[in-house]
Coordinates of all heavy atoms in Angstrom, one line a residue:
M88 N -5.9 -2.0 3.2 CA -7.1 -1.5 3.6 C -7.8 -2.5 4.6 O -8.7 -2.1 5.4 CB -8.2 -1.4 2.4 CG -7.9 -0.2 1.5 SD -9.1 0.0 0.3 CE -8.7 1.5 -0.6
N89 N -7.3 -3.7 4.7 CA -7.7 -4.6 5.7 C -7.6 -4.0 7.1 O -8.3 -4.3 8.0 CB -6.9 -5.9 5.6 CG -7.3 -6.9 4.7 OD1 -7.8 -6.5 3.5 ND2 -7.2 -8.1 5.0
K90 N -6.6 -3.2 7.2 CA -6.3 -2.7 8.6 C -7.4 -1.8 9.1 O -7.6 -1.8 10.3 CB -4.9 -1.8 8.5 CG -3.7 -2.6 8.2 CD -2.5 -1.8 8.2 CE -1.1 -2.7 8.1 NZ -1.1 -3.4 6.7
S91 N -8.2 -1.2 8.3 CA -9.3 -0.4 8.7 C -10.3 -1.3 9.3 O -11.1 -1.0 10.3 CB -9.9 0.4 7.6 OG -9.1 1.3 7.0
F92 N -10.5 -2.6 8.7 CA -11.4 -3.5 9.3 C -10.9 -4.0 10.6 O -11.7 -4.2 11.6 CB -11.6 -4.8 8.3 CG -12.3 -4.4 7.0 CD1 -11.7 -3.7 5.9 CD2 -13.5 -4.9 6.8 CE1 -12.2 -3.3 4.8 CE2 -14.1 -4.8 5.6 CZ -13.6 -3.9 4.5
T93 N -9.6 -4.4 10.7 CA -9.0 -4.8 11.9 C -9.2 -3.8 13.1 O -9.6 -4.1 14.2 CB -7.6 -5.2 11.7 OG1 -7.4 -6.2 10.7 CG2 -6.9 -5.8 13.0
K94 N -8.9 -2.5 12.7 CA -9.0 -1.5 13.8 C -10.4 -1.4 14.2 O -10.7 -1.2 15.4 CB -8.5 -0.1 13.2 CG -8.8 1.0 14.1 CD -8.5 2.4 13.4 CE -7.2 2.8 13.3 NZ -7.0 4.2 12.7
T95 N -11.4 -1.5 13.2 CA -12.8 -1.4 13.6 C -13.2 -2.4 14.6 O -13.8 -2.1 15.6 CB -13.7 -1.5 12.4 OG1 -13.4 -0.3 11.5 CG2 -15.2 -1.4 12.8
V96 N -12.7 -3.6 14.5 CA -13.2 -4.7 15.4 C -12.5 -4.6 16.7 O -13.2 -4.8 17.8 CB -12.7 -6.1 14.8 CG1 -13.0 -7.3 15.8 CG2 -13.6 -6.4 13.5
I97 N -11.2 -4.2 16.7 CA -10.5 -3.8 18.0 C -11.3 -2.8 18.8 O -11.5 -2.9 20.0 CB -9.0 -3.4 17.7 CG1 -8.2 -4.6 17.3 CG2 -8.5 -2.7 19.0 CD1 -7.9 -5.6 18.4
L98 N -11.7 -1.7 18.1 CA -12.4 -0.6 18.8 C -13.8 -1.1 19.2 O -14.4 -0.6 20.3 CB -12.5 0.7 17.9 CG -11.1 1.3 17.7 CD1 -11.2 2.5 16.7 CD2 -10.4 1.7 19.0
L133 N -2.0 -0.5 17.1 CA -2.8 0.4 16.2 C -2.0 1.4 15.6 O -2.3 1.7 14.4 CB -4.0 0.9 17.1 CG -5.1 0.0 17.5 CD1 -6.0 0.7 18.5 CD2 -5.9 -0.5 16.3
Y184 N -0.5 -5.3 13.0 CA -1.9 -5.7 12.7 C -2.1 -7.1 12.7 O -3.2 -7.6 13.0 CB -2.4 -5.0 11.4 CG -2.8 -3.6 11.7 CD1 -1.9 -2.5 12.0 CD2 -4.2 -3.3 11.8 CE1 -2.4 -1.2 12.3 CE2 -4.6 -2.1 12.1 CZ -3.8 -1.0 12.4 OH -4.2 0.3 12.8
V185 N -1.1 -7.9 12.3 CA -1.2 -9.4 12.6 C -1.5 -9.7 13.9 O -2.3 -10.6 14.3 CB 0.0 -10.1 12.0 CG1 0.0 -11.6 12.4 CG2 0.1 -9.9 10.5
L187 N -2.8 -7.8 16.2 CA -4.1 -7.3 16.6 C -5.1 -8.4 16.2 O -6.1 -8.6 17.0 CB -4.5 -6.0 15.9 CG -3.7 -4.8 16.6 CD1 -4.0 -3.6 15.6 CD2 -4.2 -4.5 17.9
G188 N -5.0 -9.1 15.1 CA -5.8 -10.1 14.7 C -5.8 -11.3 15.5 O -6.9 -11.9 15.9
I191 N -7.7 -10.4 18.7 CA -9.2 -10.5 18.4 C -9.7 -11.9 18.6 O -10.7 -12.2 19.2 CB -9.5 -10.0 17.0 CG1 -9.4 -8.5 16.9 CG2 -10.9 -10.4 16.5 CD1 -9.5 -7.9 15.5
Y199 N -10.5 -14.7 13.4 CA -10.4 -13.3 13.0 C -11.4 -13.1 11.7 O -12.2 -12.1 11.8 CB -8.9 -13.1 12.5 CG -8.9 -11.7 11.8 CD1 -8.9 -10.4 12.4 CD2 -8.7 -11.7 10.4 CE1 -8.9 -9.3 11.7 CE2 -8.7 -10.5 9.7 CZ -8.7 -9.3 10.4 OH -8.7 -8.2 9.7
I203 N -14.8 -10.6 11.2 CA -14.9 -9.7 10.1 C -16.2 -9.8 9.4 O -17.0 -8.9 9.2 CB -13.8 -9.7 9.1 CG1 -12.4 -9.3 9.8 CG2 -14.0 -8.8 7.9 CD1 -12.4 -7.9 10.3
I207 N -18.8 -6.8 10.5 CA -18.8 -5.9 9.5 C -19.5 -6.2 8.1 O -20.3 -5.5 7.8 CB -17.3 -5.5 9.2 CG1 -16.6 -4.9 10.5 CG2 -17.2 -4.4 8.0 CD1 -15.1 -4.6 10.2
N250 N -5.1 -11.9 5.7 CA -4.8 -11.8 7.1 C -5.1 -10.4 7.6 O -5.6 -9.5 6.9 CB -3.2 -12.0 7.3 CG -2.8 -13.5 7.3 OD1 -3.4 -14.2 8.1 ND2 -2.0 -13.9 6.3
P251 N -4.9 -10.1 8.9 CA -5.4 -8.8 9.5 C -4.7 -7.6 9.0 O -5.2 -6.5 9.1 CB -5.1 -9.0 11.0 CG -5.2 -10.5 11.2 CD -4.6 -11.1 9.9
D252 N -3.6 -7.9 8.3 CA -2.8 -6.7 7.8 C -3.0 -6.4 6.3 O -2.7 -5.5 5.6 CB -1.3 -6.8 7.9 CG -0.8 -8.0 7.3 OD1 -1.4 -9.2 7.3 OD2 0.4 -8.0 6.7
F255 N -7.8 -9.1 1.8 CA -9.1 -9.3 1.4 C -9.3 -8.9 0.0 O -8.5 -8.2 -0.6 CB -10.0 -8.4 2.3 CG -10.2 -8.7 3.8 CD1 -10.7 -7.8 4.6 CD2 -9.6 -9.8 4.3 CE1 -10.8 -7.9 5.9 CE2 -9.6 -10.0 5.6 CZ -10.2 -9.1 6.5

Side-chain angles (χ1 to χ4, degrees):
M88 283 186 180
N89 280 36
K90 293 181 174 67
S91 298
F92 290 73
T93 303
K94 176 193 280 190
T95 297
V96 176
I97 285 290
L98 294 179
L133 286 170
Y184 272 75
V185 168
L187 287 171
I191 288 170
Y199 166 78
I203 296 299
I207 298 176
N250 280 303
D252 61 321
F255 295 168

